[in-house]
Structure formats: structure tokens, C-alpha cells
Amino acid sequence: MQVVEGLIEPLSPGWDHGRTAAKLRQQLTPVLPALECMAGSGDLDLAGSPNWFVPDLAVVPRELAKDGGALVPDQTLLIVEVTSTPNGDTDRIVKRRRYAEYGAPLYLLVDRQQRTCTLFSAPGDFGYTRVNGPHPFGTPLPLPAPFDLELDTSEF
């Protein structure tokens, strides 16, 4: 369950949704030890707002993850949301705006309905100030520092 703009939203992603998140995790895994980070799906608290998100994938420092509590978006290095038909607009609009507002440095939107990937970076007062995409699936997508890797989006 997550809370989006004050509404409780059940989470029940399908297998294809999970497969896409797993493909991303596989590509990120080789760089995580050097960054002293882990990739997973845990609670993100947006204090002072009517939101409590559970992203499909987030990269966070291992040290912050070990106590088991919720983190806040600015403690992440990357947040990934993979759209599904029922929640696509939430990921495209609400979460993008809120992640920027709460300082998530990188937000990757994998839009399975539009078959595109978009990387948002440089959060500002009015949203992300840099946008790389949307790129059709199959287009390599570079992730900037500290990742410095190119994502293969051909199997999304």
C-alpha cells in the first residue's frame, strides 16, 4: 500500500511490471558496491504532505537502509517508477512533481504504456529542471554520475 495525495492505493504490480524493475536492478547491480549503495523497494516518507510512496526501485546508501525505517527522497541516489495502466498518470505527474519537491536527485520514469524512458534530474522549486527523454524503448539511456553507466532499455 502507498498513499498518493491522501488516497490509499493498493500495490499489486503484474509480472511484466516486476520483470522490468528486475532488468533495471540487474543493470545497476555492478556499480552499487563502489557506491556503497543498495537497490530495492522501500518506504519513502514525504513529511508534511499527504503522501507515502513505495517506488518500484530506489538506490539508497546501505548505511541508511540498515535500520529499516522509511527514508525521504533526498536520501536516494535514484528513484525508478515503472508505469502500469491503473497508475500511469500518478507516476508521470504526481510522483514526478513530489519527488522533485522532496529533492530526489534522479527520477527515472519507465513508461510501459508509451514505451518510453525519461530521466529527470536537477530538482528545483517547480519540478525537475533537466529532462532527458522521452526515449523509445531500445534507445540506450545514460545515467549520470555517480552511476556513469548506460542503461539498455531494449528489454523493457
Side-chain angles (χ1 to χ4, degrees):
M1 304 292 271
Q2 64 183 354
V3 180
V4 178
E5 300 300 302
L7 299 174
I8 297 172
E9 189 176 278
L11 295 175
S12 57
W15 286 105
D16 193 43
H17 185 110
R19 183 191 62 80
T20 301
K23 289 286 183 188
L24 279 163
R25 186 188 306 236
Q26 288 171 353
Q27 293 183 58
L28 292 168
T29 296
V31 301
L32 297 179
L35 298 174
E36 297 183 10
C37 288
M38 61 167 283
S41 180
D43 295 338
L44 292 177
D45 185 10
L46 285 76
S49 82
N51 295 289
W52 187 277
F53 294 159
V54 180
D56 292 304
L57 189 65
V59 175
V60 301
R62 276 184 301 209
E63 189 62 31
L64 294 177
K66 80 177 191 177
D67 292 330
L71 299 178
V72 293
D74 70 356
Q75 292 177 306
T76 68
L77 277 72
L78 169 70
I79 295 175
V80 178
E81 293 288 358
V82 178
T83 67
S84 292
T85 302
N87 75 348
D89 285 340
T90 298
D91 292 343
R92 288 181 202 104
I93 299 165
V94 177
K95 287 188 174 184
R96 182 184 76 210
R97 184 186 62 209
R98 291 298 193 173
Y99 285 145
E101 179 183 352
Y102 282 80
L106 296 171
Y107 174 50
L108 176 60
L109 176 66
V110 179
D111 193 321
R112 293 183 324 117
Q113 288 68 49
Q114 297 180 10
R115 302 195 46 75
T116 61
C117 292
T118 307
L119 181 65
F120 299 90
S121 61
D125 292 339
F126 300 105
Y128 285 101
T129 60
R130 286 191 218 131
V131 179
N132 185 352
H135 299 286
F137 286 178
T139 304
L141 181 64
L143 282 185
F147 299 96
D148 295 320
L149 68 90
E150 189 170 83
L151 293 176
D152 175 2
T153 67
S154 62
E155 294 188 46
F156 293 171

